[in-house]
């Protein structure tokens, strides 16, 4: 039954429907509402047999999930931004040990300067962590992806991050069909771990591996992600059969069939992009959008197929690799080796800056005139940057850059709450 | 084995000196008090073939501790191990010395992994399976300390064992928060006007554990292995967070003779520098009295890490401060009171 519900609450109920054995919780905005929702469900007795552990840090949250998963319990946690970075050592450990933990990341910028709003810097920093990464476009998809994530994780014995845009999705009230426990029971089998710490069959897990086998162990991690490229669409198909709606999968092309220009993006900005594309299509422009749901594993074949007849792609990215530029675009180019195609990276929405239709139209107008550079920053206030650069050229003690620029603006545009 | 119990005269002033120590001959103990290691069917949780150094106190302490835990739980036990010597010398894959279910995750997260194991086992309806976490002093008092305190504060059903050899030995003897003042390590070298480690407040984790008012905190050494086994047995009879801090001399890092590991551990207790006690719910309930009080000199002289206190000139100023630490322990834990136990 469709209900009007906050994104975080929808995710909490979807996770609860998957009957996790252990939930590890540590607060960080904008993820907190999810674990609050789960806390209430456990406390009220709606999740019998589920252990809700209030840990002392994100590092402990992931470590507790590792312990729970290792003894064979279905384990879940959620985090964002600094919290994800604080647990990084355990994030890599969970995937290295092959433990099928599911974690929500409510995507948020990384400081300094500290910023609580949305971009993808946090999860993009973990693209090489060995976790699968699925990006939700809507709250419906966010809820659905969690159900699929447990299924995928447990099938291939690797952990899965479900990435949903902080505030934009987590705090948005939308109509969502929340997966029910009855539906999930028909879709998600009980967790049968490939390996388990068990006194009845004692094994050693997490031993030291030297040069003689380390390459092979790491190769296997890659191999399993490549297998996931087949598992993810199959799971999405089965999901459709049980739940009657499309969610998940590898890529989500929109009006790409005859497109000359394809804009590529991840997450909630796809909605705005589709509106913009509809408006430009109405004017006769051959343009489409390619949403990438599975960023890890990266669906090279599917991306190549969508882009094969296009002459240009623009990668709209909510994060970038400082010192070179686009992250998603480099992976897309790797999918198109030998195929000539013009491309640009447009970095947008950093630290919660709104990505408006007006700005996207202006950017696409310039693209249509062939004026787009290889790397651009949408709505960059060049004058503000130039003033700070000028300050650093005069004298050696120009002061803290972020605070200087806020002073130049005359007012803080937004305040933390 | 004989079925009949041998009863000992309670006030017999003569002890059993046949092993040259104060140890009571195991064969004279009642069956249920005999040491686990003496049983033909001892679990050998950490079995032979591992790569610890000769005279390693940690390997000895771990085998006794885990064997006692296995016996106390009838084998219903899983374990997690912090990164460190114990982890490295026991599992150079594909070999493993562990005959129990064993997981190594990271250096600083063993208490949190143990929390997750205990929670997962409860969720699976396997609360009969108990969890033991183990780490060295670096993994416990320094890098894993946040997770340890969190586990204590939530009173999670975990026995955490710290094997304290008073420095980072696995990486080549660097100072930890458990390194005693004046001790030489590779990062507190015996050079300059104040050689060795600084005099700080130290990080007395048994007392910090007691401040969490967890049900059971105890210290032990490899000099009294029967006492160590007894404390593990007691700990496994209790639910909730428990902490056992075991002094395990490291011949490599301490510069002591491999054959002297037990003697060095005993010397640490007999001068008062390492108090052996038990605490329940934050209160000390028992301590092991010093049998033959010795000055700290006797303990320090057995170890090259303190050699700079005796040559080229004796540093009475430093030795007196170490003696004051020992004297404070003797007062605090009543180590010279005959009725302490």
């Amino acid at each position: 039954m469709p209900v009007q519900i906050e994104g975080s609450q929808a995710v909490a109920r979807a996770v609860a429907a998957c009957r996790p054995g252990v939930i590890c919780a540590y607060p960080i905005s904008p993820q907190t509402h999810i674990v609050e929702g789960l806390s209430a469900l456990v406390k009220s007795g709606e999740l019998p047999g589920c252990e809700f552990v209030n840990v002392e840090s994100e590092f402990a949250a992931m470590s507790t999930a590792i312990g729970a998963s290792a003894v064979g319990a279905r384990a879940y946690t959620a985090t964002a931004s600094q919290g994800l970075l604080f647990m990084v050592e355990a994030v890599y450990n969970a995937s290295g040990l092959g433990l099928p933990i599911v974690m929500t990341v409510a995507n948020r910028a990384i400081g300094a300067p500290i910023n609580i709003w949305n971009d993808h810097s946090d999860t993009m920093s973990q693209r090489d962590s060995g976790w699968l990464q699925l990006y939700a476009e809507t709250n419906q998809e966010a809820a659905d992806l969690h159900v699929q994530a447990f299924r995928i994780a447990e099938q291939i014995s690797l952990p899965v991050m479900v990435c949903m845009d902080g505030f934009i999705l987590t705090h948005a009230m939308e109509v969502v069909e929340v997966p029910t426990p009855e539906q999930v029971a028909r879709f998600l089998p009980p967790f049968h771990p490939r390996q388990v710490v068990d006194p009845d069959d004692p094994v050693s897990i997490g031993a030291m591996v030297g040069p003689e086998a380390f390459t092979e162990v790491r190769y296997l991690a890659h191999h399993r992600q490549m297998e996931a490229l087949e598992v993810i669409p199959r799971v999405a198909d089965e999901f459709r059969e049980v739940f009657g709606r499309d969610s998940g999968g590898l890529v989500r092309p929109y009006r790409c069939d005859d497109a000359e220009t394809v804009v590529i993006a991840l997450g909630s900005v796809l909605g705005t992009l589709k509106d913009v594309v509809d408006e430009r299509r109405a004017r006769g422009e051959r343009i489409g959008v390619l949403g990438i749901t599975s960023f890890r594993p990266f669906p090279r074949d599917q991306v190549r197929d969508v882009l094969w007849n296009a002459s240009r792609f623009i990668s709209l990215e909510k994060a970038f690799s400082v010192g070179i530029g686009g992250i998603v675009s480099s992976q897309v180019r790797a999918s198109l080796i030998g195929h000539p195609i013009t491309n640009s990276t447009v970095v947008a929405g950093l630290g919660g800056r709104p990505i408006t239709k007006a700005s996207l139209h202006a950017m696409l107008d310039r693209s249509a005139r062939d004026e787009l550079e290889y790397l651009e920053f949408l709505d960059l206030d060049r004058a503000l940057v130039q003033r700070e650069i000028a300050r650093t050229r005069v004298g050696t003690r120009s002061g803290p850059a972020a605070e200087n620029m806020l002073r130049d603006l005359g007012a803080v545009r937004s305040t933390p709450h | 084995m004989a079925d009949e119990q041998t009863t000992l005269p309670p006030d017999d002033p003569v002890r059993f000196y046949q092993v040259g120590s104060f140890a009571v001959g195991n064969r004279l103990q009642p069956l249920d008090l005999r040491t686990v290691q003496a049983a033909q069917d001892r679990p050998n949780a950490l079995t032979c073939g591992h790569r610890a150094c000769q005279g390693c106190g940690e390997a000895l302490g771990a085998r006794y501790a885990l064997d006692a835990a296995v016996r106390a739980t009838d084998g219903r036990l899983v374990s997690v191990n912090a990164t460190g010597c114990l982890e490295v010398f026991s599992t150079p894959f594909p070999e493993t010395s562990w005959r129990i279910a064993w997981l190594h995750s990271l250096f600083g997260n063993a208490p949190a992994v143990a929390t997750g194991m205990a929670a997962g086992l409860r969720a699976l309806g396997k609360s009969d399976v108990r969890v033991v976490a183990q780490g060295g002093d670096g993994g416990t008092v320094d890098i894993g300390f946040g997770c340890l305190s969190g586990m204590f504060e939530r009173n999670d059903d975990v026995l955490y064992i710290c094997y304290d050899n008073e420095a980072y030995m696995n990486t080549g003897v660097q100072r930890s928060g458990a390194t005693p003042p004046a001790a030489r390590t590779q990062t507190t070298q015996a050079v300059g006007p104040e050689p060795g480690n600084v005099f700080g407040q130290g990080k007395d984790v048994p007392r910090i554990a007691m401040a969490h008012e967890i049900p059971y905190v105890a210290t032990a050494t490899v000099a009294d292995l029967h006492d160590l086994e007894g404390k593990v047995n007691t700990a496994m009879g209790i639910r909730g967070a428990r902490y056992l801090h075991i002094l395990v001399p490291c011949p490599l890092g301490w510069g002591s003779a491999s054959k002297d590991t037990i003697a060095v551990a005993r010397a640490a207790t007999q001068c008062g520098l390492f108090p052996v006690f038990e605490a329940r719910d934050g209160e000390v309930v028992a301590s092991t009295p010093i049998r033959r009080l010795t000055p700290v000199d006797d303990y320090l002289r057995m170890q090259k890490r303190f050699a700079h206190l005796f040559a080229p000139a004796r540093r009475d100023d430093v030795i007196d401060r170490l003696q004051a630490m020992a004297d404070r322990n003797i007062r605090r834990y009543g180590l010279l009171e005959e009725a302490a136990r």
Side-chain angles (χ1 to χ4, degrees):
Chain A
M1 190 184 68
V3 289
Q4 183 82 7
I5 190 170
E6 189 202 43
S8 296
Q9 296 302 325
V11 166
R13 289 209 211 163
V15 169
C18 297
R19 299 301 301 266
V22 176
I23 296 165
C24 325
Y26 190 78
I28 183 168
S29 299
Q31 161 278 134
T32 312
H33 289 184
I34 300 172
V35 292
E36 286 175 356
L38 284 164
S39 166
L41 290 169
V42 174
K43 194 90 176 163
S44 64
E46 286 180 57
L47 272 177
C50 177
E51 296 286 325
F52 188 90
V53 188
N54 280 300
V55 292
E56 72 283 354
S57 73
E58 289 89 357
F59 178 63
M62 183 48 58
S63 301
T64 300
I66 286 169
S69 188
V71 295
R74 186 171 282 162
Y76 170 82
T77 189
T79 191
S81 182
Q82 316 295 140
L84 181 62
L85 294 202
F86 196 70
M87 65 164 70
V88 165
E89 192 190 12
V91 168
Y92 275 71
N93 192 252
S95 59
L97 291 171
L99 297 172
I101 297 160
V102 170
M103 170 164 67
T104 313
V105 181
N107 286 105
R108 168 185 151 182
I110 288 170
I114 187 168
N115 174 301
I116 64 166
W117 291 278
N118 167 246
D119 68 31
H120 290 168
S121 305
D122 49 5
T123 49
M124 281 295 156
S125 78
Q126 296 308 299
R127 63 188 183 273
D128 300 333
S129 65
W131 284 58
L132 277 66
Q133 288 191 342
L134 307 176
Y135 286 76
E137 179 180 339
T138 62
N139 280 345
Q140 181 67 62
E141 191 168 51
D144 294 345
L145 281 179
H146 283 85
V147 179
Q148 297 188 26
F150 280 109
R151 175 81 185 273
I152 297 163
E154 290 168 12
Q155 187 162 337
I156 60 172
S157 207
L158 279 181
V160 179
M161 257 177 232
V162 180
C163 312
M164 64 187 293
D165 286 320
F167 293 113
I168 298 170
L169 292 182
T170 55
H171 288 54
M173 299 287 287
E174 282 191 322
V175 175
V176 175
E177 282 214 47
V178 180
T180 65
E182 295 73 29
Q183 288 173 314
V184 174
R186 282 190 281 139
F187 174 78
L188 179 65
F191 174 32
H192 294 295
R194 274 177 203 269
Q195 53 177 352
V196 63
V197 179
D198 179 3
D200 291 326
D201 180 20
V203 291
S204 295
I205 301 175
M208 177 170 262
V209 174
E212 67 280 3
F214 196 78
T215 303
E216 287 69 22
V217 172
R218 295 310 302 153
Y219 174 79
L220 197 61
H222 178 67
H223 174 78
R224 283 199 276 175
Q225 286 228 356
M226 293 301 100
E227 282 186 337
L229 287 172
E230 290 164 21
V231 173
I232 291 167
R234 208 157 59 229
V235 167
D237 289 345
E238 289 178 37
F239 184 89
R240 189 188 309 108
E241 283 170 28
V242 174
F243 293 83
R245 59 180 173 268
D246 272 320
S247 272
L250 297 170
V251 294
R252 199 65 64 76
Y254 179 76
R255 304 188 82 166
C256 286
D257 283 347
D258 62 341
E260 288 170 350
T261 298
V262 173
V263 186
I264 299 170
L266 287 65
S268 63
V269 75
L270 286 165
T272 315
L273 272 172
K274 287 176 186 174
D275 285 353
V276 167
V277 160
D278 286 344
E279 288 167 15
R280 298 180 82 86
R281 279 272 178 186
R283 302 202 297 254
E285 189 171 332
R286 285 163 64 182
I287 186 166
V289 179
L290 175 60
I292 294 175
T293 307
S294 169
F295 187 66
R296 281 293 180 277
F298 191 81
R300 282 180 66 194
D301 291 350
Q302 290 74 11
V303 167
R304 187 184 59 228
D305 290 349
V306 172
L307 293 178
W308 196 252
N309 294 316
S311 55
R312 180 195 303 274
F313 77 81
I314 298 164
S315 183
L316 188 75
E317 307 197 23
K318 287 188 175 184
F320 72 106
S321 178
V322 180
I324 176 67
I327 299 167
V328 179
S329 57
S330 72
Q331 331 262 297
V332 174
R333 281 196 298 275
S335 312
L336 293 163
I337 288 169
H339 185 62
I341 187 164
T342 307
N343 68 89
S344 294
T345 300
V346 178
V347 179
L350 295 185
R353 178 165 294 182
I355 302 175
T356 64
K357 288 205 296 186
S359 295
L360 290 173
H361 274 303
M363 179 269 287
L364 291 170
D365 288 346
R366 293 182 53 232
S367 170
R369 295 196 299 269
D370 231 0
E371 292 173 6
L372 216 51
E373 290 176 32
Y374 183 69
L375 175 66
E376 297 222 347
F377 290 77
L378 194 71
D379 296 336
L380 180 70
D381 186 340
R382 285 205 174 274
L384 187 61
V385 172
Q386 289 304 334
R387 278 201 292 280
E388 176 59 16
I389 291 171
R391 260 192 298 270
T392 60
R393 284 179 180 156
V394 183
T396 54
R397 186 144 185 163
S398 55
E403 286 71 12
N404 285 345
M405 289 199 271
L406 286 177
R407 199 180 306 117
D408 283 348
L409 283 171
V412 179
R413 277 180 174 160
S414 48
T415 50
H417 46 80
Chain B
M1 276 189 281
D3 285 329
E4 66 273 11
Q5 184 170 302
T6 308
T7 47
L8 305 173
D11 295 321
D12 189 350
V14 181
R15 286 294 188 182
F16 303 94
Y17 294 125
Q18 67 268 45
V19 292
S21 74
F22 293 111
V24 175
N26 190 59
R27 284 170 298 143
L28 301 178
Q29 293 273 24
L31 276 178
D32 61 340
L33 289 181
R34 287 189 190 175
T35 188
V36 178
Q37 291 299 307
Q40 284 185 334
D41 60 348
R42 70 181 189 196
N44 277 325
L46 177 68
T47 197
C48 57
H50 60 69
R51 301 179 186 188
C53 305
Q54 191 177 33
C56 173
E58 186 174 37
L60 181 66
R63 193 180 84 230
Y64 272 72
L66 268 295
D67 276 6
V70 169
R71 189 176 73 168
T73 58
D74 204 17
R76 306 298 289 163
L77 178 81
V78 294
S79 69
V80 56
N81 209 136
T83 308
C85 278
L86 180 61
E87 169 260 325
V88 170
F89 75 61
S90 64
T91 57
F93 212 71
E95 294 151 14
T96 178
S97 283
W98 295 103
R99 301 181 68 216
I100 54 174
W102 180 92
L103 175 74
H104 161 245
S105 175
L106 296 169
F107 197 5
N109 72 351
V113 174
T115 289
M117 284 178 157
L121 289 164
R122 257 194 320 278
L124 294 165
K126 293 188 190 170
S127 293
D128 63 312
V129 178
R130 308 296 299 280
V131 181
V132 175
Q134 32 183 4
D137 51 291
T140 305
V141 319
D142 286 348
I143 196 168
F145 189 68
C147 288
L148 185 70
S149 177
M151 188 273 280
F152 286 163
E153 171 272 318
R154 292 183 301 268
N155 199 25
D156 295 328
D157 189 23
V158 171
L159 168 62
Y160 188 96
I161 303 173
C162 171
Y163 303 105
D164 180 8
N165 56 22
E166 301 189 333
Y168 291 90
M169 300 314 188
N170 188 44
T171 45
V173 195
Q174 296 84 22
R175 177 202 187 272
S176 81
T179 300
R184 172 209 70 189
T185 70
Q186 290 302 317
T187 50
T188 56
Q189 297 190 6
V191 296
E194 296 297 333
N197 193 22
V198 294
F199 273 86
Q201 297 303 306
K203 203 186 276 191
D204 189 342
V205 174
R207 293 184 69 223
I208 297 171
M210 285 166 59
H212 290 75
E213 303 201 343
I214 57 175
Y216 189 69
V217 174
T219 64
T221 75
V222 290
D224 192 347
L225 290 160
H226 195 69
D227 172 72
L228 164 56
E229 285 184 345
K231 283 169 175 167
V232 172
N233 196 50
T234 302
M236 296 317 290
I238 299 168
R239 291 279 179 172
R242 291 141 289 146
Y243 180 71
L244 181 56
H245 190 102
I246 308 174
L247 185 72
V248 292
C250 169
L252 173 79
W254 294 15
S256 53
S258 293
K259 67 177 175 58
D260 283 344
T261 293
I262 289 171
V264 173
R266 182 174 297 114
T269 64
Q270 295 306 295
C271 68
L273 272 178
F274 190 85
V276 179
F277 66 93
E278 283 179 294
R280 299 256 189 168
D281 304 316
E283 309 270 351
V284 174
V285 294
S287 55
T288 304
I290 291 171
R291 301 292 296 267
R292 191 182 287 153
L293 181 66
T294 56
V296 292
D297 282 46
D298 292 13
Y299 170 63
L300 302 175
R301 281 181 186 280
M302 299 174 87
Q303 307 168 58
K304 289 201 185 83
R305 64 175 172 158
F306 295 111
H308 53 277
L309 301 182
F310 301 96
R314 186 183 163 88
R315 288 291 300 266
D316 276 321
D317 55 334
V318 178
I319 295 167
D320 288 351
R321 289 181 77 175
L322 290 165
Q323 184 64 54
M325 288 171 60
D327 293 345
R328 190 178 62 181
N329 282 338
I330 290 168
R331 283 195 307 276
R332 177 177 283 154
Y333 297 101
L335 300 179
L336 288 177
E337 292 165 22
E338 197 45 50
R341 200 165 204 184

